[in-house]
Amino acid sequence: MRCYFFSGKHHDASASDNNLLCGPRVLTFFLYLSDVEEGGGTKFTELDITMQPKRGSAILWPSVLDSDPTEMDFRTQHHALPVIKGTKYAANSWIHLYDYKKPNLWGCTGAFS
């Protein structure tokens, strides 16, 4: 089974995240699970940095400002570049400001309804 995913420019946090019991996504951990022969990088558009996929390598970036974790750090907007040759496998994890486990059991938002 092959899965294709192309992501336009985006940010991993949103202002509405501040209302969640788990708080905003403060960090993104992105792990490359495969080498890609050509393309498939992660481009940080505001920083003009592109990370090329390399199996076993990872990127960790902030989604919010150190000085105020309720404010998004727009420098870390990014997008996945298309894979030209090969296959890209990756995994990510978002680290939230507060405990994520219990709100997730409640449906991520903490709502009981």
Side-chain angles (χ1 to χ4, degrees), residues 1-8 36 40 80-90:
M1 178 179 158
R2 291 188 104 169
C3 209
Y4 298 91
F5 179 76
F6 178 76
S7 172
V36 177
L81 298 173
V83 174
I84 308 300
K85 186 175 181 186
T87 303
K88 178 180 175 180
Y89 293 104

Side-chain angles (χ1 to χ4, degrees), residues 21-71:
L21 288 179
C22 57
R25 296 173 181 169
V26 293
L27 295 168
T28 298
F29 178 79
F30 193 78
L31 175 65
Y32 293 107
L33 302 173
S34 64
D35 291 318
V36 177
E37 293 178 61
E38 186 179 353
T42 303
K43 181 170 179 77
F44 292 86
T45 53
E46 303 303 311
L47 299 170
D48 196 28
I49 295 172
T50 301
M51 300 301 295
Q52 294 300 329
K54 180 167 175 44
R55 183 179 179 197
S57 65
I59 314 169
L60 179 70
W61 68 84
S63 295
V64 296
L65 298 173
D66 260 359
S67 59
D68 184 354
T70 65
E71 291 292 323

